[in-house]
Amino acid sequence: MATAGTRALARLPWSVATGRRRVSVGCPSHAGHNRWSKVKNVKGPRDAARSRLFQRLGWMLRTAAREGGPDPALNAQLANVVEQCRAKNMPKSSIEAAIHGAERSAAVTRLLYEARGPGGLALLLEVLTDNPRRSQQDVRLILTRNGGTMAEGARHSFEQKGVVRVRPRDLQGHPVSLEAALEAALEAGAQDVCPDEEEEEEEEEQSLKFICETSALRTVRERLEASGLRPLSATIEYLPRDRVTLTEGTREQAERLLQALDDCPDIIRLYHNIQ
């Protein structure tokens, strides 16, 4: 949730205790060998994904402004969403328009759907919608068409954690090594730190994701900032307790399901437990 954005299959986190992780290495995909193929296979899907991301962020801005007021200085939830928007290069004019249009926008409902997918994978879907019935029907249809189903109990495969995302360079512009990140995590009271698997492909450097107890989220964020790091966001998310390993064919089906869910504009964040 894993913010919506792109949702690549998750990497295992670095452990503060051991400093170890498992790394999977695969064959790179090739977009094509001429300008048209690059535009068709890379730029088009990327632009569509960015458009969906901005749409979701707009929903989040309007919802936060309606619930806590339009001033980020007095509304911590709104301030956090604004940080996420800036981190994703959402235009300032679009951010301001969403906040100022909050009072005129329709009231929205927050929903959490539980589901199962191919191979028994567990899914949690965070939804913001002005029409819960329509959203439920849309999500159910996507699941049915891609080998998934609504399923109570999937939530037990996840636990809520605080997640602080930090820029890959510190206040002086120096790259933050994973060794330095582990040390900062220990000092801040975080439990784990890992590269952010939700980073978009065009980014040259991945941001870092610090994981902590939900009750320590604000403290960890403040301590990381005080240590010279640059936080992007601080949110409460669902992280998998146990991961499932899928066969090649099942994994391809699961990836199609994840992509179809990612295309649904009402889903603002999607969590899965694929190894």
Side-chain angles (χ1 to χ4, degrees), residues 84-102:
Q84 295 178 55
C85 293
R86 290 172 177 167
K88 295 301 181 181
N89 298 317
M90 186 174 182
K92 181 180 179 181
S93 58
S94 298
I95 296 174
E96 294 176 346
I99 293 175
H100 294 156

PDB file of all heavy atoms in Angstrom, residues 84-102:
ATOM      1  N   GLN A  84       2.830  14.368   0.043  1.00  0.00           N
ATOM      2  CA  GLN A  84       2.805  13.277  -0.932  1.00  0.00           C
ATOM      3  C   GLN A  84       2.627  13.817  -2.349  1.00  0.00           C
ATOM      4  O   GLN A  84       3.256  13.325  -3.291  1.00  0.00           O
ATOM      5  CB  GLN A  84       1.667  12.315  -0.599  1.00  0.00           C
ATOM      6  CG  GLN A  84       1.835  11.572   0.724  1.00  0.00           C
ATOM      7  CD  GLN A  84       0.651  10.668   1.009  1.00  0.00           C
ATOM      8  OE1 GLN A  84       0.301   9.813   0.202  1.00  0.00           O
ATOM      9  NE2 GLN A  84       0.014  10.856   2.155  1.00  0.00           N
ATOM     10  N   CYS A  85       1.776  14.822  -2.506  1.00  0.00           N
ATOM     11  CA  CYS A  85       1.551  15.424  -3.820  1.00  0.00           C
ATOM     12  C   CYS A  85       2.830  16.054  -4.358  1.00  0.00           C
ATOM     13  O   CYS A  85       3.176  15.887  -5.535  1.00  0.00           O
ATOM     14  CB  CYS A  85       0.445  16.476  -3.734  1.00  0.00           C
ATOM     15  SG  CYS A  85      -1.197  15.827  -3.364  1.00  0.00           S
ATOM     16  N   ARG A  86       3.524  16.778  -3.507  1.00  0.00           N
ATOM     17  CA  ARG A  86       4.771  17.420  -3.940  1.00  0.00           C
ATOM     18  C   ARG A  86       5.824  16.381  -4.297  1.00  0.00           C
ATOM     19  O   ARG A  86       6.589  16.558  -5.249  1.00  0.00           O
ATOM     20  CB  ARG A  86       5.278  18.348  -2.836  1.00  0.00           C
ATOM     21  CG  ARG A  86       4.410  19.589  -2.639  1.00  0.00           C
ATOM     22  CD  ARG A  86       4.824  20.371  -1.416  1.00  0.00           C
ATOM     23  NE  ARG A  86       4.040  21.603  -1.275  1.00  0.00           N
ATOM     24  CZ  ARG A  86       4.030  22.346  -0.174  1.00  0.00           C
ATOM     25  NH1 ARG A  86       4.752  21.987   0.892  1.00  0.00           N
ATOM     26  NH2 ARG A  86       3.294  23.432  -0.117  1.00  0.00           N
ATOM     27  N   ALA A  87       5.871  15.285  -3.516  1.00  0.00           N
ATOM     28  CA  ALA A  87       6.843  14.224  -3.792  1.00  0.00           C
ATOM     29  C   ALA A  87       6.589  13.582  -5.150  1.00  0.00           C
ATOM     30  O   ALA A  87       7.520  13.103  -5.803  1.00  0.00           O
ATOM     31  CB  ALA A  87       6.790  13.168  -2.692  1.00  0.00           C
ATOM     32  N   LYS A  88       5.334  13.568  -5.589  1.00  0.00           N
ATOM     33  CA  LYS A  88       4.973  12.988  -6.879  1.00  0.00           C
ATOM     34  C   LYS A  88       4.890  14.043  -7.974  1.00  0.00           C
ATOM     35  O   LYS A  88       4.393  13.781  -9.070  1.00  0.00           O
ATOM     36  CB  LYS A  88       3.634  12.249  -6.767  1.00  0.00           C
ATOM     37  CG  LYS A  88       3.680  11.044  -5.853  1.00  0.00           C
ATOM     38  CD  LYS A  88       4.707  10.013  -6.326  1.00  0.00           C
ATOM     39  CE  LYS A  88       4.731   8.791  -5.436  1.00  0.00           C
ATOM     40  NZ  LYS A  88       5.747   7.805  -5.879  1.00  0.00           N
ATOM     41  N   ASN A  89       5.382  15.254  -7.684  1.00  0.00           N
ATOM     42  CA  ASN A  89       5.436  16.340  -8.675  1.00  0.00           C
ATOM     43  C   ASN A  89       4.065  16.753  -9.195  1.00  0.00           C
ATOM     44  O   ASN A  89       3.915  17.134 -10.360  1.00  0.00           O
ATOM     45  CB  ASN A  89       6.342  15.949  -9.849  1.00  0.00           C
ATOM     46  CG  ASN A  89       7.777  15.718  -9.422  1.00  0.00           C
ATOM     47  OD1 ASN A  89       8.331  16.485  -8.639  1.00  0.00           O
ATOM     48  ND2 ASN A  89       8.383  14.656  -9.916  1.00  0.00           N
ATOM     49  N   MET A  90       3.068  16.689  -8.343  1.00  0.00           N
ATOM     50  CA  MET A  90       1.748  17.185  -8.724  1.00  0.00           C
ATOM     51  C   MET A  90       1.819  18.712  -8.803  1.00  0.00           C
ATOM     52  O   MET A  90       2.353  19.360  -7.895  1.00  0.00           O
ATOM     53  CB  MET A  90       0.717  16.765  -7.679  1.00  0.00           C
ATOM     54  CG  MET A  90      -0.718  17.096  -8.047  1.00  0.00           C
ATOM     55  SD  MET A  90      -1.877  16.416  -6.824  1.00  0.00           S
ATOM     56  CE  MET A  90      -3.462  16.887  -7.545  1.00  0.00           C
ATOM     57  N   PRO A  91       1.321  19.320  -9.861  1.00  0.00           N
ATOM     58  CA  PRO A  91       1.411  20.773 -10.012  1.00  0.00           C
ATOM     59  C   PRO A  91       0.786  21.516  -8.827  1.00  0.00           C
ATOM     60  O   PRO A  91      -0.257  21.108  -8.297  1.00  0.00           O
ATOM     61  CB  PRO A  91       0.630  21.048 -11.305  1.00  0.00           C
ATOM     62  CG  PRO A  91       0.714  19.768 -12.066  1.00  0.00           C
ATOM     63  CD  PRO A  91       0.686  18.683 -11.040  1.00  0.00           C
ATOM     64  N   LYS A  92       1.429  22.605  -8.432  1.00  0.00           N
ATOM     65  CA  LYS A  92       0.943  23.401  -7.307  1.00  0.00           C
ATOM     66  C   LYS A  92      -0.471  23.894  -7.561  1.00  0.00           C
ATOM     67  O   LYS A  92      -1.310  23.918  -6.647  1.00  0.00           O
ATOM     68  CB  LYS A  92       1.879  24.595  -7.070  1.00  0.00           C
ATOM     69  CG  LYS A  92       1.472  25.477  -5.903  1.00  0.00           C
ATOM     70  CD  LYS A  92       2.450  26.630  -5.726  1.00  0.00           C
ATOM     71  CE  LYS A  92       2.024  27.537  -4.574  1.00  0.00           C
ATOM     72  NZ  LYS A  92       2.965  28.681  -4.401  1.00  0.00           N
ATOM     73  N   SER A  93      -0.756  24.282  -8.792  1.00  0.00           N
ATOM     74  CA  SER A  93      -2.095  24.781  -9.123  1.00  0.00           C
ATOM     75  C   SER A  93      -3.151  23.702  -8.917  1.00  0.00           C
ATOM     76  O   SER A  93      -4.269  23.991  -8.482  1.00  0.00           O
ATOM     77  CB  SER A  93      -2.130  25.277 -10.571  1.00  0.00           C
ATOM     78  OG  SER A  93      -1.768  24.236 -11.467  1.00  0.00           O
ATOM     79  N   SER A  94      -2.802  22.444  -9.221  1.00  0.00           N
ATOM     80  CA  SER A  94      -3.745  21.341  -9.043  1.00  0.00           C
ATOM     81  C   SER A  94      -3.984  21.066  -7.565  1.00  0.00           C
ATOM     82  O   SER A  94      -5.117  20.762  -7.149  1.00  0.00           O
ATOM     83  CB  SER A  94      -3.217  20.073  -9.724  1.00  0.00           C
ATOM     84  OG  SER A  94      -3.072  20.275 -11.117  1.00  0.00           O
ATOM     85  N   ILE A  95      -2.927  21.176  -6.763  1.00  0.00           N
ATOM     86  CA  ILE A  95      -3.061  20.986  -5.315  1.00  0.00           C
ATOM     87  C   ILE A  95      -3.991  22.044  -4.730  1.00  0.00           C
ATOM     88  O   ILE A  95      -4.922  21.742  -3.974  1.00  0.00           O
ATOM     89  CB  ILE A  95      -1.678  21.048  -4.637  1.00  0.00           C
ATOM     90  CG1 ILE A  95      -0.790  19.888  -5.110  1.00  0.00           C
ATOM     91  CG2 ILE A  95      -1.820  21.009  -3.109  1.00  0.00           C
ATOM     92  CD1 ILE A  95       0.638  19.955  -4.598  1.00  0.00           C
ATOM     93  N   GLU A  96      -3.746  23.298  -5.081  1.00  0.00           N
ATOM     94  CA  GLU A  96      -4.554  24.397  -4.547  1.00  0.00           C
ATOM     95  C   GLU A  96      -6.005  24.296  -5.014  1.00  0.00           C
ATOM     96  O   GLU A  96      -6.935  24.550  -4.241  1.00  0.00           O
ATOM     97  CB  GLU A  96      -3.943  25.731  -4.971  1.00  0.00           C
ATOM     98  CG  GLU A  96      -2.574  25.992  -4.345  1.00  0.00           C
ATOM     99  CD  GLU A  96      -1.940  27.271  -4.849  1.00  0.00           C
ATOM    100  OE1 GLU A  96      -2.426  27.812  -5.877  1.00  0.00           O
ATOM    101  OE2 GLU A  96      -0.969  27.747  -4.230  1.00  0.00           O
ATOM    102  N   ALA A  97      -6.208  23.907  -6.273  1.00  0.00           N
ATOM    103  CA  ALA A  97      -7.573  23.789  -6.801  1.00  0.00           C
ATOM    104  C   ALA A  97      -8.342  22.702  -6.057  1.00  0.00           C
ATOM    105  O   ALA A  97      -9.532  22.872  -5.752  1.00  0.00           O
ATOM    106  CB  ALA A  97      -7.526  23.477  -8.299  1.00  0.00           C
ATOM    107  N   ALA A  98      -7.685  21.591  -5.758  1.00  0.00           N
ATOM    108  CA  ALA A  98      -8.357  20.503  -5.037  1.00  0.00           C
ATOM    109  C   ALA A  98      -8.741  20.933  -3.627  1.00  0.00           C
ATOM    110  O   ALA A  98      -9.854  20.658  -3.163  1.00  0.00           O
ATOM    111  CB  ALA A  98      -7.448  19.277  -4.987  1.00  0.00           C
ATOM    112  N   ILE A  99      -7.842  21.637  -2.945  1.00  0.00           N
ATOM    113  CA  ILE A  99      -8.121  22.085  -1.576  1.00  0.00           C
ATOM    114  C   ILE A  99      -9.252  23.107  -1.568  1.00  0.00           C
ATOM    115  O   ILE A  99     -10.193  23.017  -0.766  1.00  0.00           O
ATOM    116  CB  ILE A  99      -6.845  22.672  -0.937  1.00  0.00           C
ATOM    117  CG1 ILE A  99      -5.797  21.565  -0.744  1.00  0.00           C
ATOM    118  CG2 ILE A  99      -7.178  23.327   0.410  1.00  0.00           C
ATOM    119  CD1 ILE A  99      -4.462  22.082  -0.238  1.00  0.00           C
ATOM    120  N   HIS A 100      -9.176  24.086  -2.465  1.00  0.00           N
ATOM    121  CA  HIS A 100     -10.187  25.147  -2.504  1.00  0.00           C
ATOM    122  C   HIS A 100     -11.544  24.625  -2.971  1.00  0.00           C
ATOM    123  O   HIS A 100     -12.584  25.216  -2.650  1.00  0.00           O
ATOM    124  CB  HIS A 100      -9.718  26.276  -3.427  1.00  0.00           C
ATOM    125  CG  HIS A 100      -8.507  26.993  -2.896  1.00  0.00           C
ATOM    126  ND1 HIS A 100      -7.628  27.683  -3.700  1.00  0.00           N
ATOM    127  CD2 HIS A 100      -8.027  27.100  -1.638  1.00  0.00           C
ATOM    128  CE1 HIS A 100      -6.657  28.192  -2.959  1.00  0.00           C
ATOM    129  NE2 HIS A 100      -6.879  27.842  -1.707  1.00  0.00           N
ATOM    130  N   GLY A 101     -11.533  23.493  -3.707  1.00  0.00           N
ATOM    131  CA  GLY A 101     -12.788  22.950  -4.191  1.00  0.00           C
ATOM    132  C   GLY A 101     -13.396  21.912  -3.261  1.00  0.00           C
ATOM    133  O   GLY A 101     -14.406  21.293  -3.600  1.00  0.00           O
ATOM    134  N   ALA A 102     -12.797  21.732  -2.092  1.00  0.00           N
ATOM    135  CA  ALA A 102     -13.259  20.693  -1.165  1.00  0.00           C
ATOM    136  C   ALA A 102     -14.697  20.911  -0.717  1.00  0.00           C
ATOM    137  O   ALA A 102     -15.495  19.965  -0.671  1.00  0.00           O
ATOM    138  CB  ALA A 102     -12.332  20.625   0.046  1.00  0.00           C
TER     139      ALA A 102
END
